[in-house]
Amino acid sequence: MVQEAIRDGRSLSEDELATARRIGVAHPEEIRIVLGPIPLPKAISLAKWIERMGIGEQPEGLTLGYAIFLDCGLNIPKGLLVHELRHCYQGEQAGSLNGFVCQWLSEIAKFGYLDAPMEVDARAWAWASVLTDEKSNIWVLKSLEARKKGEVQKMTPNIQYQSARSQK
Ligand SMILES: [Zn+2]
């Protein structure tokens, strides 16, 4: 799935490359975007687990290494892109796709989707990036609202991954 995305996906535009660098991605030229339905695990147990963790049955984005899957139509909301680009950064920090996925899954198991430090971090970057972009702003609000009502206060910008972690 990741290899196919890297082969068939599109690379970032100049604007998107600049955004990715600003977010901290070291090799944004490696990133490929695939638009369309998010490929979700076929295993029923994992699919159920994802639902139970509050990730939602139909996520708008999924990032695996340098492969970003987006199910959002042709106009990519900036907040969504920034969120997923930040996961690319986290993947680089983790050092490998396996390392990233293991950390992400264990954080979600431990803290829940909304409070997982990697998600808090990605959401904070998305939030900070869309403060001046009304359309994406609405996307962030809607997506959070849909996931868990009354959780909007968790969107307070909190740029540093470390400080997001030390809140726990
Ligand atoms: Zn995320």
Side-chain angles (χ1 to χ4, degrees), residues 10-28:
R10 75 155 171 86
S11 43
L12 300 185
S13 69
E14 285 303 318
D15 271 4
E16 291 165 346
L17 283 169
T19 301
R21 283 192 200 98
R22 195 165 46 77
I23 290 164
V25 179
H27 299 290

Side-chain angles (χ1 to χ4, degrees), residues 63-139:
T63 295
L64 294 170
Y66 286 122
I68 298 180
F69 300 90
L70 297 174
D71 189 7
C72 61
L74 289 177
N75 290 323
I76 303 171
K78 193 177 178 194
L80 175 59
L81 180 66
V82 166
H83 182 112
E84 301 306 329
L85 285 172
R86 188 63 179 171
H87 284 320
C88 290
Y89 164 84
Q90 293 167 348
E92 287 179 337
Q93 296 301 301
S96 70
L97 178 57
N98 271 351
F100 169 78
V101 171
C102 286
Q103 190 183 342
W104 187 72
L105 290 175
S106 67
E107 282 190 4
I108 286 172
K110 192 170 173 190
F111 301 103
Y113 177 73
L114 276 171
D115 291 321
M118 290 166 107
E119 286 304 324
V120 171
D121 173 70
R123 212 183 304 131
W125 278 85
W127 180 237
S129 78
V130 299
L131 286 174
T132 55
D133 180 346
E134 202 185 333
K135 202 175 148 222
S136 299
N137 211 339
I138 289 167
W139 174 81

